[in-house]
Every structure is written in C-alpha cells, then in structure tokens.
Amino acid sequence: MSDGFDELVEHKDGNGIIILWDLANGQEVARLYNDGYFIHCLDFSPDGKTLAACANDIGGTNDIALWDVAQHETVGHLETPNWSNGGVYALSFSPDGKLLAGAALVGPVVWDVEMQTPLGATQSIETNSEIDFSPEGRWLVFTNTQLYTFTMLTL
C-alpha cells in the first residue's frame, strides 16, 4: 500500500473514527476523523492510495469522504443523490480506480472519482447489501434478495 505498510482499516461505530493498522507489526498507523458520523462502509482504491468512507450524520445525510491514505487527510467528498434515502451501504472502486460504485437503498450509484461527480444512478432496484465491479470493469454486480448485473457503458 501507499506507505509501504500492509494496512487494514477498522471503523468504530457511531463516532466516525477510522483506524489504519500496520499488519506487519500490529501497530496503529493513523486515526482518520470523520466528524462524528456513523460509518457504513469503506473501500480502498486498487492502488491503495485512496480510501472511500461512506457515513451519515444524525439527520441521515450521507457523506462519502475520499481520504489520502499516505497523508491521512480528506481529498474530496462525493455527493449522494437526494433519493438515496440516507443510505449507501456498500462501496466498490472500479479496477482502474476511476469510478466508485455505491449500493444505495433504492438503487446503485456510480461516481467519477477524479471529477467527484455522480455519473449515473437508477432508482429501480433496491441494493442495500453488496456491490462490486468485475475484474475488467465491464460489469457492475450487486445483491439484495436476488443477484443483478449491469453492463458498464464506455464513458
């Protein structure tokens, strides 16, 4: 990963603290503070340089923070759709790290990470459990009570 550490992320419910651990020596590397938000999900970019953390505040407003893992600071925020109903419960970076997909309560959302803007979303299918890209980045798959796949279009 970014600092030469084999890092693991742990989050603590309710207080918004993300802890990075060095697995080689079992030592805590850093604490990332997410303004007291309840953290729902986390995902490292494929190169290990960015950590996406989705959290929401007491009012239910979602915030997806992008963290620079080496510098231990936020480098951006992704806006969640108004219709997401306060819930994005899984995140997944595309294999090239350019896109981030989120499983919202009422459908999947895809963001352009560099531009920090949503590229597309659908409200047709509830996706509140898992979401992932296929290894080549062509397919987006997510689950709930059934398994769904979507073809990723060239952007």
Side-chain angles (χ1 to χ4, degrees):
M1 295 236 160
S2 57
D3 280 334
F5 296 108
D6 291 320
E7 292 176 347
L8 170 71
V9 176
E10 177 182 299
H11 66 278
K12 292 193 172 185
D13 292 342
N15 61 11
I17 299 172
I18 301 166
I19 303 173
L20 298 177
W21 293 93
D22 180 340
L23 294 180
N25 63 20
Q27 299 295 310
E28 183 178 310
V29 175
R31 287 181 179 236
L32 311 178
Y33 294 91
N34 208 41
D35 298 328
Y37 284 21
F38 179 86
I39 299 169
H40 291 282
C41 52
L42 306 162
D43 194 36
F44 278 110
S45 62
D47 64 8
K49 294 180 179 180
T50 304
L51 175 68
C54 183
N56 65 343
D57 64 15
I58 294 170
T61 303
N62 265 222
D63 175 62
I64 299 176
L66 300 174
W67 292 87
D68 180 309
V69 175
Q71 299 300 315
H72 309 137
E73 61 187 22
T74 55
V75 293
H77 291 270
L78 303 177
E79 181 180 329
T80 59
N82 292 339
W83 53 261
S84 67
N85 233 9
V88 174
Y89 293 97
L91 293 171
S92 179
F93 277 96
S94 62
D96 62 8
K98 293 181 179 180
L99 303 176
L100 181 69
L105 281 176
V106 291
V109 184
V110 178
W111 292 270
D112 179 306
V113 175
E114 183 179 348
M115 300 299 294
Q116 298 181 14
T117 56
L119 293 178
T122 179
Q123 298 181 52
S124 60
I125 302 167
E126 188 175 304
T127 59
N128 64 356
S129 55
E130 297 292 330
I131 193 162
D132 203 2
F133 285 90
S134 62
E136 77 288 342
R138 180 173 177 216
W139 299 96
L140 181 62
V141 62
F142 54 90
T143 62
N144 192 348
T145 56
Q146 298 178 12
L147 178 68
Y148 297 97
T149 60
F150 280 93
T151 302
M152 294 303 297
L153 303 176
T154 304
L155 303 173

Coordinates of all heavy atoms in Angstrom, one line a residue, residues 39-100:
I39 N -20.2 5.5 10.4 CA -19.6 5.0 9.2 C -20.3 3.7 8.8 O -20.3 2.7 9.5 CB -18.1 4.8 9.3 CG1 -17.4 6.1 9.7 CG2 -17.4 4.1 8.1 CD1 -16.0 6.0 10.1
H40 N -20.8 3.7 7.5 CA -21.4 2.5 7.0 C -20.5 1.5 6.3 O -20.6 0.3 6.4 CB -22.5 2.9 6.0 CG -23.7 3.6 6.6 ND1 -24.7 2.9 7.3 CD2 -24.0 4.9 6.7 CE1 -25.6 3.8 7.7 NE2 -25.2 5.0 7.4
C41 N -19.6 2.1 5.4 CA -18.8 1.2 4.6 C -17.5 1.9 4.2 O -17.4 3.2 4.2 CB -19.6 0.7 3.4 SG -20.3 2.0 2.4
L42 N -16.5 1.1 3.8 CA -15.2 1.6 3.4 C -14.7 0.8 2.2 O -15.1 -0.4 2.0 CB -14.2 1.4 4.5 CG -14.5 1.9 5.9 CD1 -13.7 1.3 7.0 CD2 -14.3 3.4 5.9
D43 N -13.8 1.4 1.4 CA -13.2 0.7 0.3 C -11.9 1.4 -0.1 O -11.9 2.6 -0.2 CB -14.1 0.5 -0.9 CG -13.6 -0.6 -1.9 OD1 -13.0 -1.6 -1.4 OD2 -13.7 -0.4 -3.1
F44 N -10.8 0.6 -0.2 CA -9.6 1.1 -0.8 C -9.6 1.2 -2.3 O -10.2 0.2 -2.9 CB -8.4 0.2 -0.4 CG -7.8 0.5 1.0 CD1 -8.0 -0.5 2.0 CD2 -7.1 1.6 1.3 CE1 -7.5 -0.3 3.3 CE2 -6.6 1.8 2.6 CZ -6.8 0.9 3.5
S45 N -9.0 2.2 -2.9 CA -8.8 2.2 -4.3 C -7.8 1.1 -4.7 O -7.1 0.6 -3.8 CB -8.3 3.5 -4.8 OG -7.0 3.8 -4.2
P46 N -7.8 0.6 -5.9 CA -6.9 -0.5 -6.3 C -5.4 -0.3 -6.0 O -4.7 -1.2 -5.7 CB -7.2 -0.8 -7.8 CG -8.6 -0.3 -8.0 CD -8.7 0.9 -7.0
D47 N -5.0 1.0 -6.2 CA -3.6 1.3 -5.9 C -3.3 1.6 -4.4 O -2.2 1.8 -4.0 CB -3.2 2.5 -6.7 CG -3.9 3.8 -6.4 OD1 -4.6 3.9 -5.4 OD2 -3.7 4.8 -7.1
G48 N -4.3 1.5 -3.6 CA -4.2 1.7 -2.2 C -3.9 3.1 -1.7 O -3.7 3.3 -0.5
K49 N -4.0 4.1 -2.6 CA -3.7 5.5 -2.2 C -4.9 6.2 -1.7 O -4.7 7.2 -1.0 CB -3.1 6.2 -3.4 CG -1.8 5.7 -3.8 CD -1.2 6.4 -5.0 CE 0.2 5.9 -5.4 NZ 0.7 6.6 -6.5
T50 N -6.1 5.8 -2.0 CA -7.3 6.5 -1.6 C -8.2 5.5 -0.9 O -8.3 4.4 -1.2 CB -8.1 7.0 -2.9 OG1 -7.2 7.9 -3.6 CG2 -9.3 7.8 -2.5
L51 N -8.8 6.0 0.2 CA -9.8 5.3 0.9 C -11.2 6.1 0.8 O -11.2 7.3 1.1 CB -9.4 5.2 2.4 CG -10.5 4.5 3.3 CD1 -10.6 3.0 3.0 CD2 -10.1 4.7 4.8
A52 N -12.2 5.4 0.4 CA -13.5 6.0 0.3 C -14.3 5.5 1.6 O -14.3 4.3 1.9 CB -14.3 5.5 -0.9
A53 N -14.9 6.4 2.3 CA -15.7 6.1 3.5 C -17.0 6.7 3.4 O -17.1 8.0 3.3 CB -14.9 6.6 4.7
C54 N -18.1 5.9 3.5 CA -19.4 6.5 3.5 C -20.0 6.5 4.9 O -19.9 5.5 5.6 CB -20.3 5.6 2.6 SG -22.0 6.3 2.5
A55 N -20.5 7.6 5.3 CA -21.0 7.8 6.6 C -22.3 8.7 6.5 O -22.5 9.4 5.5 CB -20.0 8.5 7.5
N56 N -23.1 8.7 7.6 CA -24.1 9.7 7.6 C -24.3 10.2 9.0 O -23.9 9.6 10.0 CB -25.5 9.2 7.1 CG -26.1 8.1 7.8 OD1 -25.5 7.4 8.6 ND2 -27.4 7.9 7.5
D57 N -24.8 11.5 9.0 CA -24.9 12.2 10.3 C -26.2 11.8 11.0 O -27.0 11.0 10.5 CB -24.8 13.7 10.1 CG -25.9 14.3 9.3 OD1 -26.9 13.6 9.1 OD2 -25.7 15.4 8.8
I58 N -26.4 12.4 12.1 CA -27.6 12.1 12.9 C -28.9 12.4 12.1 O -29.9 11.7 12.3 CB -27.6 12.9 14.2 CG1 -26.5 12.5 15.1 CG2 -28.9 12.8 15.0 CD1 -26.2 13.3 16.3
G59 N -28.9 13.4 11.2 CA -30.0 13.7 10.4 C -30.2 12.8 9.2 O -31.2 12.9 8.5
G60 N -29.3 11.8 9.0 CA -29.4 10.9 7.9 C -28.8 11.3 6.6 O -28.9 10.6 5.6
T61 N -28.1 12.5 6.6 CA -27.4 12.9 5.4 C -26.2 12.1 5.1 O -25.3 12.0 6.0 CB -27.1 14.4 5.5 OG1 -28.3 15.1 5.8 CG2 -26.5 15.0 4.3
N62 N -26.0 11.6 3.9 CA -24.8 10.8 3.5 C -23.7 11.7 3.2 O -23.8 12.8 2.6 CB -25.1 10.0 2.3 CG -25.5 8.6 2.7 OD1 -25.1 7.6 2.1 ND2 -26.4 8.4 3.7
D63 N -22.5 11.2 3.5 CA -21.2 11.9 3.1 C -20.3 10.8 2.7 O -20.0 9.9 3.5 CB -20.6 12.7 4.3 CG -19.3 13.3 3.9 OD1 -19.2 14.1 3.0 OD2 -18.3 12.9 4.6
I64 N -19.7 10.9 1.5 CA -18.7 9.9 1.1 C -17.4 10.7 1.0 O -17.2 11.6 0.1 CB -19.0 9.2 -0.2 CG1 -20.3 8.4 -0.1 CG2 -17.8 8.3 -0.7 CD1 -20.8 7.8 -1.4
A65 N -16.5 10.5 2.0 CA -15.2 11.2 2.0 C -14.2 10.4 1.3 O -14.2 9.1 1.4 CB -14.8 11.4 3.5
L66 N -13.3 11.0 0.6 CA -12.2 10.4 -0.1 C -10.9 10.8 0.7 O -10.7 12.0 0.9 CB -12.1 10.9 -1.5 CG -13.3 10.5 -2.4 CD1 -13.1 11.1 -3.8 CD2 -13.5 9.0 -2.5
W67 N -10.2 9.8 1.2 CA -9.1 10.1 2.1 C -7.8 9.7 1.3 O -7.7 8.7 0.7 CB -9.1 9.2 3.3 CG -10.2 9.6 4.3 CD1 -11.5 9.2 4.2 CD2 -10.1 10.5 5.4 NE1 -12.2 9.7 5.3 CE2 -11.4 10.5 6.0 CE3 -9.1 11.2 5.9 CZ2 -11.6 11.3 7.1 CZ3 -9.3 11.9 7.1 CH2 -10.6 12.0 7.7
D68 N -6.7 10.6 1.4 CA -5.4 10.3 1.0 C -4.8 9.4 2.1 O -4.6 9.9 3.2 CB -4.6 11.5 0.8 CG -3.2 11.3 0.3 OD1 -2.5 10.5 1.0 OD2 -2.7 11.9 -0.6
V69 N -4.5 8.1 1.8 CA -4.1 7.2 2.9 C -2.7 7.6 3.4 O -2.5 7.5 4.6 CB -4.1 5.7 2.3 CG1 -3.5 4.8 3.3 CG2 -5.5 5.3 1.9
A70 N -1.8 8.0 2.5 CA -0.4 8.4 3.0 C -0.4 9.6 3.8 O 0.3 9.7 4.8 CB 0.5 8.5 1.8
Q71 N -1.2 10.6 3.5 CA -1.2 11.9 4.2 C -2.2 12.0 5.3 O -2.2 12.9 6.1 CB -1.5 13.1 3.2 CG -0.5 13.2 2.1 CD 0.9 13.5 2.6 OE1 1.1 14.3 3.5 NE2 1.9 12.7 2.1
H72 N -3.2 11.0 5.4 CA -4.2 10.9 6.4 C -5.1 12.1 6.4 O -5.4 12.7 7.5 CB -3.5 10.7 7.8 CG -2.6 9.6 7.8 ND1 -1.4 9.7 8.5 CD2 -2.6 8.3 7.3 CE1 -0.7 8.5 8.3 NE2 -1.4 7.7 7.6
E73 N -5.5 12.6 5.2 CA -6.4 13.7 5.1 C -7.4 13.6 4.0 O -7.1 12.8 3.1 CB -5.6 15.0 4.9 CG -4.8 15.1 3.7 CD -3.8 16.3 3.6 OE1 -3.5 16.9 4.6 OE2 -3.4 16.6 2.4
T74 N -8.5 14.2 4.1 CA -9.5 14.1 3.1 C -9.0 14.9 1.8 O -8.4 16.0 1.9 CB -10.9 14.7 3.5 OG1 -10.7 16.0 4.0 CG2 -11.5 13.8 4.6
V75 N -9.4 14.3 0.7 CA -9.0 15.0 -0.6 C -10.3 15.3 -1.4 O -10.2 15.8 -2.5 CB -8.0 14.2 -1.4 CG1 -6.6 14.1 -0.7 CG2 -8.5 12.7 -1.6
G76 N -11.4 14.9 -0.9 CA -12.7 15.2 -1.6 C -13.9 14.6 -0.9 O -13.7 13.8 0.0
H77 N -15.0 15.0 -1.5 CA -16.3 14.4 -1.0 C -17.2 14.2 -2.2 O -17.2 14.9 -3.1 CB -17.0 15.4 0.0 CG -16.3 15.6 1.3 ND1 -16.6 14.8 2.4 CD2 -15.3 16.4 1.7 CE1 -15.8 15.1 3.4 NE2 -15.0 16.1 2.9
L78 N -17.9 13.1 -2.1 CA -18.9 12.7 -3.2 C -20.3 13.0 -2.7 O -20.7 12.6 -1.6 CB -18.7 11.3 -3.6 CG -17.3 10.9 -4.1 CD1 -17.3 9.4 -4.4 CD2 -16.9 11.7 -5.3
E79 N -21.1 13.6 -3.5 CA -22.4 13.9 -3.2 C -23.3 12.7 -3.5 O -23.2 12.1 -4.5 CB -22.9 15.1 -4.1 CG -24.3 15.5 -3.9 CD -24.7 16.7 -4.8 OE1 -23.9 17.5 -5.1 OE2 -25.9 16.8 -5.1
T80 N -24.2 12.4 -2.6 CA -25.1 11.3 -2.8 C -26.4 11.9 -3.3 O -26.8 13.0 -3.0 CB -25.4 10.5 -1.5 OG1 -25.9 11.4 -0.5 CG2 -24.1 9.9 -1.0
P81 N -27.1 11.1 -4.1 CA -28.4 11.6 -4.7 C -29.4 11.8 -3.5 O -29.4 11.1 -2.5 CB -28.9 10.4 -5.5 CG -27.7 9.6 -5.8 CD -26.8 9.8 -4.6
N82 N -30.3 12.8 -3.7 CA -31.3 13.1 -2.8 C -32.2 11.9 -2.5 O -32.7 11.7 -1.4 CB -32.2 14.3 -3.2 CG -31.4 15.6 -3.2 OD1 -30.4 15.7 -2.6 ND2 -31.8 16.5 -4.0
W83 N -32.5 11.1 -3.5 CA -33.4 10.0 -3.4 C -32.7 8.8 -2.7 O -33.4 7.8 -2.5 CB -33.9 9.6 -4.7 CG -32.9 9.3 -5.8 CD1 -32.5 10.1 -6.7 CD2 -32.1 8.1 -5.9 NE1 -31.5 9.6 -7.5 CE2 -31.2 8.3 -7.0 CE3 -32.0 6.9 -5.2 CZ2 -30.3 7.4 -7.5 CZ3 -31.1 6.0 -5.7 CH2 -30.3 6.2 -6.8
S84 N -31.4 8.9 -2.3 CA -30.8 7.7 -1.8 C -31.3 7.4 -0.3 O -30.9 6.4 0.2 CB -29.3 7.9 -1.7 OG -28.9 8.9 -0.8
N85 N -32.1 8.3 0.2 CA -32.8 8.0 1.4 C -31.9 7.8 2.6 O -32.2 7.0 3.5 CB -33.7 6.7 1.2 CG -35.1 6.9 1.6 OD1 -35.5 8.1 1.9 ND2 -35.9 5.9 1.7
G86 N -30.8 8.5 2.6 CA -29.9 8.4 3.7 C -29.1 7.1 3.8 O -28.5 6.8 4.8
G87 N -29.1 6.3 2.7 CA -28.4 5.0 2.8 C -27.6 4.6 1.7 O -28.1 4.3 0.6
V88 N -26.2 4.6 1.8 CA -25.3 4.0 0.9 C -24.6 3.0 1.8 O -23.9 3.4 2.7 CB -24.4 4.9 0.2 CG1 -23.4 4.2 -0.6 CG2 -25.2 5.9 -0.7
Y89 N -24.8 1.7 1.5 CA -24.3 0.7 2.5 C -23.2 -0.2 2.0 O -22.7 -1.1 2.7 CB -25.5 -0.2 2.9 CG -26.4 0.7 3.8 CD1 -27.6 1.2 3.2 CD2 -26.1 0.9 5.1 CE1 -28.4 2.0 4.0 CE2 -27.0 1.7 5.9 CZ -28.1 2.3 5.3 OH -28.9 3.1 6.1
A90 N -22.7 0.1 0.8 CA -21.5 -0.7 0.2 C -20.9 0.2 -0.8 O -21.6 0.9 -1.5 CB -21.9 -2.0 -0.4
L91 N -19.6 0.1 -0.9 CA -18.8 0.9 -1.9 C -17.8 0.0 -2.6 O -17.3 -1.0 -2.0 CB -18.0 2.0 -1.2 CG -18.7 3.1 -0.6 CD1 -17.8 4.0 0.2 CD2 -19.5 4.0 -1.6
S92 N -17.5 0.3 -3.9 CA -16.5 -0.5 -4.6 C -15.9 0.4 -5.7 O -16.6 1.0 -6.5 CB -17.2 -1.7 -5.3 OG -16.3 -2.5 -6.0
F93 N -14.6 0.4 -5.7 CA -13.8 1.1 -6.7 C -13.8 0.2 -7.9 O -13.6 -1.1 -7.8 CB -12.4 1.4 -6.3 CG -12.2 2.6 -5.5 CD1 -12.2 2.6 -4.1 CD2 -12.1 3.9 -6.1 CE1 -12.0 3.8 -3.4 CE2 -11.9 5.0 -5.4 CZ -11.9 5.0 -4.0
S94 N -13.8 0.8 -9.1 CA -13.6 0.0 -10.4 C -12.1 -0.4 -10.4 O -11.2 0.1 -9.7 CB -13.9 0.9 -11.6 OG -13.0 2.0 -11.6
P95 N -11.8 -1.4 -11.2 CA -10.4 -1.9 -11.2 C -9.3 -0.9 -11.6 O -8.2 -0.9 -11.1 CB -10.4 -3.0 -12.3 CG -11.8 -3.5 -12.3 CD -12.6 -2.3 -12.0
D96 N -9.7 0.1 -12.4 CA -8.7 1.2 -12.7 C -8.8 2.3 -11.7 O -8.0 3.3 -11.8 CB -9.0 1.7 -14.1 CG -10.3 2.3 -14.3 OD1 -11.1 2.5 -13.4 OD2 -10.7 2.6 -15.5
G97 N -9.7 2.3 -10.7 CA -9.8 3.3 -9.7 C -10.5 4.6 -10.1 O -10.6 5.5 -9.4
K98 N -11.0 4.7 -11.4 CA -11.6 5.9 -11.9 C -13.0 6.1 -11.4 O -13.5 7.2 -11.4 CB -11.5 5.9 -13.4 CG -10.0 6.0 -13.9 CD -10.0 6.1 -15.4 CE -8.6 6.2 -15.9 NZ -8.5 6.3 -17.3
L99 N -13.7 5.0 -11.1 CA -15.1 5.0 -10.8 C -15.3 4.4 -9.4 O -14.5 3.6 -8.9 CB -15.9 4.2 -11.7 CG -15.9 4.6 -13.2 CD1 -16.7 3.6 -14.0 CD2 -16.3 6.0 -13.4
L100 N -16.3 4.9 -8.7 CA -16.7 4.4 -7.4 C -18.2 4.1 -7.5 O -19.0 4.9 -7.9 CB -16.4 5.3 -6.3 CG -16.8 4.8 -4.9 CD1 -15.8 3.7 -4.4 CD2 -16.7 6.0 -3.9

